[in-house]
Amino acid sequence: QVQLVESGGGLVQAGGSLRLSCAASGRTFSRYSMGWFRRAPGKEREFVAAISLSGSTTDYAESAKGRFTISRDNAKNTLNLQMNSLKPEDTAVYYCAADTVMSRYGQEYKYWGQGTQVTVSS
């Protein structure tokens, strides 16, 4: 089994930056592709970014392209999401997820963290 714990959320002003982290334990981290998803108030969960096992391939939602960067450090069992030029519409609970295949569809991920709140003020 895989346990995931997100951290790094908080309050930031529009235009600012924030870095989220996801610490993994329980199984070999490098075995899994990883993804970031978010759920805003009153909205369904949506895909943000994904990264392959080695980190050589990444995928981004249109809303994240050019602003967010997903990365991983397999030696430290850590997934990261660097968020720049934040907008109020980025306000959401952000979740990291793990699966054996890379995907932008949440239903294909087996393991999920508890989420971390990101709030962007205007």
Side-chain angles (χ1 to χ4, degrees), residues 40-113:
K43 298 179 66 178
E44 295 296 314
R45 180 184 62 195
E46 66 175 349
F47 168 76
V48 178
I51 190 167
S52 63
L53 277 64
S54 67
S56 61
T57 303
T58 58
D59 187 23
Y60 295 93
E62 286 297 320
S63 61
K65 289 181 179 178
R67 300 190 300 125
F68 294 2
T69 302
I70 187 171
S71 62
R72 65 191 298 164
D73 186 339
N74 288 346
K76 296 182 178 180
N77 290 1
T78 302
L79 173 74
N80 300 295
L81 183 68
Q82 178 66 46
M83 304 186 293
N84 299 325
S85 301
L86 284 163
K87 306 173 182 178
E89 50 263 45
D90 294 318
T91 295
V93 177
Y94 284 71
Y95 301 88
C96 67
D99 201 11
T100 54
V101 297
M102 184 176 175
S103 175
R104 57 168 57 208
Y105 301 104
Q107 65 269 29
E108 298 183 15
Y109 286 81
K110 184 175 182 178
Y111 304 105
W112 293 83

Side-chain angles (χ1 to χ4, degrees), residues 4 6 15 21 33 35 38-39 44 57 60 71 93 114 122:
L4 304 172
E6 302 94 335
S21 295
S33 295
R38 68 187 183 188
R39 183 186 291 274
E44 295 296 314
T57 303
Y60 295 93
S71 62
V93 177
Q114 84 290 345
S122 60

